[in-house]
């Protein structure tokens, strides 16, 4: 399909097709990071946590395989940072985690839901895009830059694999092969468990494909879509920065051009809409009261600003970043989980308060 295309066209088509697949699977399987961490906090076994682990392990194995086969340089991605802005990563991750819980969905999940008619999610993704762009290049950029400069933690090697090679004197290919094998084996065990228990099989298989889509993003932007004369940043699936760029593209269409991230967002919207249409799940949904809208807006602001400081969202850092084994991603995802715990506590307290008020009436 891509043989006769220019690199720019490959990036656009690749982003759109990857987004389409993510939208189809995300809508039909209900794949969701917020639900995964909530399951972990509550000790439930509804399949989302297992699905997220499968997607993560497959993303690691498949990405490292692409790196090995095509000699991809992940240093060209945003996640390999040799001097970690520790305060920004941790604070941004916590902000994103809290926002994700109080808005009932991460950035990627909100895009999927908005395409099915969820007006709450539409408001949230607009808020995420605006606050993210303000933090990246607008009014809040000086604050972000100040936070990034507070504590810089230097690393000789920005990722776990190369640090292990240097620390233990091992061969890089040996470590990489071991990582691929172990991650693939663990993913296979988790998928097999779904079949043995006959529990959430479709969700687990969807997670398997979603993990593969992460490697697909690296392959599209770093191999078949790479142009040595006009190089673009190596990237995979992520939603906050592309969401801001997509909004800007819609506003000044004649003054800018589409890119991989913008087409990714468009593909997710199209895929989720088609899935909901086929499954007869298109439905307009809105806020039940003004206070609920304020909570969702606050969640959107926290996610947008937080993701920019943390160099990614729960998909951008949680899958794409983690697949590179970068220390920045490990720190960011840990902070997102910590923030999610705080947000989960806030939502639990709010539920208890409403229950008491209802009982008093």
């Amino acid at each position: 399909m891509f043989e006769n295309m220019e690199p720019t066209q490959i990036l656009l088509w690749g982003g759109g097709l990857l987004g389409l697949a993510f939208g189809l699977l995300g809508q039909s399987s209900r794949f969701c990071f917020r639900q995964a961490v909530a399951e972990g906090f509550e000790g439930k076994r509804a399949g989302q946590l297992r699905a997220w682990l499968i997607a993560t392990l497959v993303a690691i194995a498949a990405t490292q395989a692409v790196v090995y086969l095509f000699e991809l340089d992940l240093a060209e991605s945003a996640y390999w940072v040799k001097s970690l802005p520790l305060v920004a990563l941790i604070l941004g991750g916590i902000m994103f985690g809290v926002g994700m819980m109080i808005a009932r969905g991460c950035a990627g999940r909100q895009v999927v839901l908005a395409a099915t008619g969820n007006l709450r999610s539409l408001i949230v993704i607009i808020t995420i895009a605006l606050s993210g762009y303000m933090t990246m290049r607008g009014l809040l950029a000086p604050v972000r830059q100040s936070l990034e400069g507070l504590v810089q933690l230097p690393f000789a090697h920005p990722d776990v694999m190369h640090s292990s090679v240097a620390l233990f004197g091992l061969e890089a290919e040996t470590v990489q092969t071991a990582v691929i094998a172990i991650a693939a084996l663990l993913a296979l065990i988790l998928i097999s468990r779904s079949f043995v228990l006959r529990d959430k099989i479709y969700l687990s298989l969807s997670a398997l494909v979603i993990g593969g889509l992460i490697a697909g993003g690296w392959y599209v932007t770093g191999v078949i879509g790479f142009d040595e004369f006009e190089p673009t940043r190596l990237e995979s699936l992520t939603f906050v920065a592309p969401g801001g760029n997509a909004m800007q593209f819609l506003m000044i269409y004649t003054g800018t051009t589409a890119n991989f991230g913008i087409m990714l967002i468009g593909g997710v919207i199209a895929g989720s809409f088609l899935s909901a249409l086929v499954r007869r799940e298109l439905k307009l949904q809105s806020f039940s009261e003004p206070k609920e809208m304020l909570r969702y807006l606050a969640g959107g602001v926290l996610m947008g600003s937080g993701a920019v400081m943390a160099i990614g969202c729960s998909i951008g850092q949680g899958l794409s970043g983690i697949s590179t084994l970068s220390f920045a991603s490990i720190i960011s995802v840990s902070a997102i989980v910590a923030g999610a715990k705080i947000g989960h506590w806030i939502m639990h307290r709010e539920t208890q308060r409403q229950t008491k008020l209802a009982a008093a009436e």
Side-chain angles (χ1 to χ4, degrees), residues 175-227:
V175 175
Q176 195 166 41
T177 301
V179 167
I180 294 170
I182 293 170
L185 178 60
L186 291 175
L188 181 61
I189 291 172
L190 290 173
I191 294 169
S192 299
R193 182 175 174 79
S194 292
F195 278 93
V196 170
L197 299 175
R198 296 184 180 181
D199 178 51
K200 303 292 183 181
I201 294 174
Y202 180 71
L203 175 58
S204 294
L205 292 177
S206 296
L208 168 67
V209 178
I210 288 171
L213 294 179
I214 301 300
W218 299 123
Y219 178 71
V220 168
T221 60
V223 182
I224 60 173
F226 176 73
D227 186 352

Side-chain angles (χ1 to χ4, degrees), residues 351-361:
T351 300
Q352 287 184 323
R353 187 186 69 82
Q354 291 179 357
T355 302
K356 289 179 180 178
L357 287 175
E361 292 176 356

